[in-house]
Structures are given as C-alpha cells and as structure tokens.
Amino acid sequence: MKRPDTLSLRRSVALSIIAAMLAVIVGIATATAMIQHDRQKQMGAEYKKQIDKGIDHVIKHYEKDYSYRLKALTRMPSLVELLKQRDRAGMMALLKPQWDKLIMEEPNFSILHIHLADGTSFL
C-alpha cells in the first residue's frame, strides 16, 4: 500500500482554510461598509430634518413677532381716525417713523399697504 502524501494534504487544507478566512473577512468588510453607508445616510436625513425644523421654528418666530408689531401699529386709535378722515398725509406722518424703525430692523420689508374696507388701496 502506498502511503498518502500528507504534505500535499496539509497544503490543501491550509489553502482551503486561508481561502475560507479570506472570504469571511471580505464578507464582514463588505457588510460593515454597507451598514456604515446606510447609517450615514440615516444620520444625514435626521440632521436635515432637525435643520429644517429649526429653520421653520425661527421663521414662525419672526412671523409672529412682526405680525404682532404690524397689528399693533394698525390698531392705533389715531390711525383709525385718520383713515376715517381719508388723511393720507397725516397717516404718512404718523406711520413713517415706526415704518423706518421696522425697516432698520428688517431690511427685507419693502411695502406697507393700507386698504379701505372695499379693498381700494389707500396708502
């Protein structure tokens, strides 16, 4: 009987083990990279959502603040009286200082428009 070649058998087993380990390492590395990529995408989406939420909050704050200030401006008793009298010059003299102050605080304001009850533009 011929003696089996143990050296070639050892080489074959060693190469098979190395190939299997290499395949496992490549599989783990690929899975890790995919998980990391998905997690980064998820974190980016969450970050964008938080930024959008913060921006919306700031915009709503400014809307409320300036809406309140403009409503307070239009509810001045003297303004209502001047509107009843159709006194454009008096209204302009009354509103100009407050309007200039608002424009200094927020330069994006460009128009203050006052309408009569029928929708006609007055000032």
Side-chain angles (χ1 to χ4, degrees):
M1 229 168 63
K2 220 174 181 188
R3 216 168 125 195
D5 187 14
T6 57
L7 187 59
S8 69
L9 183 60
R10 284 182 186 172
R11 285 183 190 156
S12 296
V13 169
L15 285 175
S16 296
I17 291 172
I18 291 172
M21 288 175 61
L22 186 60
V24 168
I25 289 171
V26 168
I28 290 172
T30 303
T32 302
M34 289 173 55
I35 290 169
Q36 183 180 9
H37 177 73
D38 288 346
R39 183 66 181 139
Q40 284 177 341
K41 245 165 82 172
Q42 181 184 13
M43 287 175 65
E46 288 173 12
Y47 182 72
K48 183 187 178 312
K49 189 189 291 185
Q50 289 295 335
I51 293 294
D52 290 346
K53 200 174 180 182
I55 290 171
D56 287 343
H57 177 76
V58 169
I59 288 172
K60 284 179 184 174
H61 171 75
Y62 276 107
E63 283 177 350
K64 283 181 182 178
D65 182 46
Y66 285 108
S67 174
Y68 170 77
R69 292 166 83 179
L70 289 171
K71 284 178 183 175
L73 186 70
T74 58
R75 289 189 179 126
M76 293 174 17
S78 53
L79 182 69
V80 174
E81 201 54 45
L82 290 170
L83 187 59
K84 285 179 184 175
Q85 297 170 5
R86 305 279 199 260
D87 184 3
R88 283 188 176 96
M91 285 181 77
M92 188 63 127
L94 179 67
L95 292 175
K96 183 89 170 103
Q98 283 92 351
W99 179 248
D100 289 341
K101 213 185 304 180
L102 279 174
I103 289 176
M104 284 177 60
E105 292 175 18
E106 183 54 61
N108 290 316
F109 283 141
S110 58
I111 297 173
L112 175 63
H113 211 113
I114 298 178
H115 295 269
L116 298 177
D118 65 358
T120 306
S121 177
F122 182 69
L123 181 67

